[in-house]
Amino acid sequence: MLKNEFLKKMHEYGIKLEDYQIVIDEYRPVSYFLGVYKRKDAWIIYEVGDRNNVDIMYEELSENKIFDEFYQEVLERLHSLGYVTINISKQVIQTSEEYVCNFLQKKYSISKFDAKDIWNDLKYDFHVLNEVKYFALNDKFVPSNDCYKVEGYSAQDIYEKTYLTEIGAYNYLIYLKEDPEQALKDLKNGLPRK
């Protein structure tokens, strides 16, 4: 794939490369960075170790080949960071914004604009976004033994204990992570049971 195709895919999947120390079109010899850039006629994929030692992983003249390889390296980086689990596979991570938004529109009878707004909110936490992708693909929560939890709560726990919809429960996980003290207080005091 070409660089523009690669960037389009990352956008479609909600992957913010900078959040994972991944850079394009620059050489950044700083610990833990993964990058791709063009040096003279060749494309270079590199990774930087903990002592700023740079490992040139691939060198290729073809933009197509280098970005195919870099795509795989990004998925591997996400795997190594714990985003891939038993149920959140690389295929789940590659679920597009369009697919999720179409699911949300149908399931909750909402507009395209509202679905896009939900997607944008979910992008604040890639774990939660991937759980919603799983939900969109399977119309069920990630099993409790493999789901993402914040302060001991999963989206399913929140859904079952409150009036929130499933998607509201996923958004609440983000709130729990951003402001755990207030979110826990609200959970215990302010959200009525179903």
Side-chain angles (χ1 to χ4, degrees), residues 18-186:
E18 62 278 0
D19 289 354
Y20 312 107
Q21 294 179 293
I22 300 170
V23 292
I24 294 180
D25 284 338
E26 74 176 272
Y27 176 69
R28 192 179 302 178
V30 177
S31 292
Y32 310 116
F33 269 82
L34 172 67
V36 61
Y37 71 105
K38 194 169 187 181
R39 181 174 64 196
K40 297 185 182 178
D41 292 334
W43 287 93
I44 309 283
I45 295 176
Y46 68 94
E47 189 168 34
V48 185
D50 61 351
R51 295 184 182 206
N52 295 338
N53 54 323
V54 178
D55 177 27
I56 303 293
M57 301 168 72
Y58 301 95
E59 188 167 347
E60 177 63 55
L61 295 176
S62 166
E63 182 178 340
N64 268 319
K65 288 181 183 175
I66 205 74
F67 278 97
D68 285 346
E69 191 59 48
F70 195 62
Y71 180 83
Q72 295 306 317
E73 290 299 327
V74 168
L75 291 177
E76 281 305 310
R77 169 68 59 105
L78 294 173
H79 186 198
S80 71
L81 292 172
Y83 290 100
V84 177
T85 67
I86 295 166
N87 292 281
I88 306 296
S89 64
K90 290 178 184 176
Q91 289 73 29
V92 170
I93 288 173
Q94 294 173 82
T95 303
S96 72
E97 173 185 351
E98 181 180 8
Y99 185 91
V100 172
C101 287
N102 286 340
F103 170 82
L104 294 173
Q105 285 178 261
K106 289 176 190 159
K107 178 138 182 103
Y108 299 105
S109 300
I110 60 175
S111 70
K112 188 174 186 176
F113 177 83
D114 288 340
K116 173 82 169 157
D117 198 39
I118 290 169
W119 171 269
N120 287 331
D121 289 343
L122 293 169
K123 287 193 316 186
Y124 285 104
D125 189 313
F126 198 56
H127 281 294
V128 175
L129 179 61
N130 289 324
E131 293 239 342
V132 171
K133 290 176 182 181
Y134 178 92
F135 184 70
L137 291 166
N138 300 287
D139 202 14
K140 64 181 182 179
F141 290 101
V142 173
S144 61
N145 65 335
D146 191 41
C147 67
Y148 179 60
K149 294 183 179 180
V150 179
E151 299 291 328
Y153 288 92
S154 68
Q156 187 170 2
D157 295 334
I158 294 166
Y159 172 72
E160 290 173 352
K161 295 175 182 175
T162 69
Y163 67 89
L164 296 172
T165 63
E166 298 95 340
I167 204 65
Y170 284 115
N171 275 316
Y172 205 87
L173 276 182
I174 295 171
Y175 175 42
L176 252 175
K177 189 171 180 183
E178 290 176 350
D179 190 356
E181 188 176 326
Q182 186 61 49
L184 285 170
K185 185 178 175 184
D186 291 348

